[in-house]
Amino acid sequence: MKLVRKIALRTMVGAAFALAAGTSAFAQGKPVTLGFSQVGAESAWRTANTVSVKAAAKDAGINLKFSDAQQKQENQIRAIRSFIAQKVDVIAFSPVVESGWEPVLEEAKRAKIPVVLTDRAIDVKDPSLYVTMIGSDFMEEGRRAGHWLEERYKNEPGPINIAELQGTVGSAPANDRHAGLMEVIKSDPKFKVIASQSGDFTLAGGKQVMEAFAKTYGKKINVVYAHNDDMALGAIQAMEEAGIKPGKDVTVVSFDATKGGFQAMVDGKINVDVECSPLLGPQLMAAVKDIVAGKPVARRIVTDEGIFPMNVAAQVMPSRKY
Ligand code: GYE
């Protein structure tokens, strides 16, 4: 019953936005204008995501206004305000952090501009502040990594010391990749997260944090749990410089499964890569068209993805698209 009510509410929210949008571009036969605020250009994932959004907009005949926030929430808020002032048909954004979005999204709502979230979720009480969220389930990604670790160490007594390289502080993927792992390993006390720090999803950040970890914990570290490939690649450099063999002395777990991550698996330096697809452009443009046309849109559109252990990397790599 509760679920039915929730679904009904969600559809109504979508329909209300659609009605508002229906009076603008679509009704007048003009091309649809989409304002998109991107997080930044911090990683290979992000670059592939930007390419996907731009290419899909072009293919769909959607007029895209693209803005790069350089990993700063204040820049995203400014971009969204400018999209509102320009009266775009739909606003989409990949929120750098989860909290603090109410005021600007209320402004969009008052202007009757529907909002779509891509890639990262936000934490707001009012469900009518956005129509849909398109992207991965980061908790599930964290759980997948946790289960892989359980299997990898099932015959070892432990302790298994984990050093965690977190993504951007307060971002959905950093929060959830951490929480998903903890959910799985909390029932097995042999797993211990002995260090955890943010490398901001960048290669330089991952390298710097790993240098410090290597100095403080040295050979005590059994697992490096990096929230993305760029940080894992930076950590690999730091380990090699410190005389530690990544992939052998230390098990390296990473996320995204980019070409760089795959290459490191082929080279024996990343042990497992949990997939997170950045190719969200086509799904975003389909949702934008449906919203503008007044069609109902699912409240949550989840990306389909898997997990790749090192031993399949060479075989799978040629078919990877990002
Ligand atoms: O894992 C990381 C990027 O939000 C899923 O952001 C995205 C993450 C991705 O910087 O590489």
Side-chain angles (χ1 to χ4, degrees):
M1 186 57 196
K2 215 172 155 199
L3 187 71
V4 173
R5 232 184 288 135
K6 249 192 214 160
I7 290 170
L9 171 74
R10 284 165 184 186
T11 315
M12 268 156 51
V13 169
F17 271 124
L19 217 65
T23 55
S24 59
F26 192 75
Q28 296 159 21
K30 277 196 279 175
V32 173
T33 298
L34 168 68
F36 183 80
S37 167
Q38 179 60 292
V39 168
E42 74 283 3
S43 64
W45 189 103
R46 189 65 53 199
T47 307
N49 180 246
T50 293
V51 170
S52 172
V53 168
K54 287 184 176 171
K58 205 165 173 221
D59 289 350
I62 287 174
N63 173 24
L64 179 70
K65 290 186 186 293
F66 182 91
S67 174
D68 176 338
Q70 298 178 335
Q71 295 246 69
K72 290 203 176 73
Q73 181 174 35
E74 72 234 44
N75 291 345
Q76 288 202 295
I77 292 174
R78 208 173 305 130
I80 294 169
R81 289 212 168 108
S82 133
F83 295 148
I84 297 171
Q86 293 172 67
K87 299 189 168 54
V88 300
D89 299 298
V90 178
I91 292 171
F93 75 116
S94 176
V96 59
V97 291
E98 290 196 88
S99 59
W101 296 104
E102 269 97 350
V104 72
L105 294 186
E106 269 150 23
E107 289 169 35
K109 188 179 169 184
R110 276 198 295 279
K112 298 192 168 44
I113 301 177
V115 171
V116 174
L117 306 179
T118 70
D119 162 30
R120 298 182 181 180
I122 58 173
D123 188 11
V124 289
K125 289 210 180 66
D126 177 358
S128 76
L129 291 179
Y130 63 91
V131 182
T132 181
M133 197 262 142
I134 303 170
S136 309
D137 180 342
F138 303 130
M139 272 296 279
E140 187 52 30
E141 291 175 357
R143 287 188 204 107
R144 279 187 188 136
H147 290 307
W148 185 88
L149 279 172
E150 275 185 328
E151 186 57 27
R152 160 71 181 77
Y153 289 103
K154 69 173 180 229
N155 297 324
E156 293 185 32
I160 308 301
N161 295 323
I162 303 173
E164 181 180 33
L165 295 169
Q166 290 222 13
T168 300
V169 176
S171 71
N175 291 343
D176 292 354
R177 286 172 185 165
H178 171 80
L181 170 74
M182 298 315 282
E183 189 187 293
V184 172
I185 64 171
K186 70 168 186 257
S187 52
D188 189 344
K190 81 177 174 203
F191 289 106
K192 291 190 171 59
V193 178
I194 57 166
S196 185
Q197 212 178 300
S198 173
D200 214 12
F201 281 129
T202 66
L203 188 142
K207 185 171 184 205
Q208 204 183 332
V209 173
M210 193 64 221
E211 278 165 2
F213 283 174
K215 266 198 205 114
T216 313
Y217 302 99
K219 296 224 151 46
K220 266 204 203 135
I221 300 171
N222 303 107
V223 176
V224 166
Y225 182 80
H227 287 192
N228 80 344
D229 285 342
D230 299 73
M231 292 193 296
L233 296 176
I236 287 169
Q237 287 180 14
M239 283 188 261
E240 288 177 333
E241 282 167 21
I244 301 168
K245 287 198 187 74
K248 293 187 184 70
D249 301 339
V250 171
T251 299
V252 181
V253 178
S254 186
F255 293 84
D256 287 354
T258 57
K259 285 197 174 136
F262 261 81
Q263 187 57 54
M265 284 198 281
V266 171
D267 297 342
K269 296 174 183 179
I270 288 181
N271 300 75
V272 67
D273 212 335
V274 180
E275 186 181 29
C276 177
S277 175
L279 309 177
L280 306 177
Q283 281 172 306
L284 170 61
M285 299 313 150
V288 166
K289 283 191 164 177
D290 283 348
I291 291 167
V292 174
K295 293 185 190 157
V297 175
R299 177 71 176 168
R300 179 76 173 90
I301 301 170
V302 184
T303 320
D304 215 13
E305 35 208 24
I307 172 165
F308 300 103
M310 183 194 254
N311 60 324
V312 304
Q315 197 196 333
V316 177
M317 194 165 162
S319 64
R320 298 299 294 163
K321 298 210 164 49
Y322 60 93

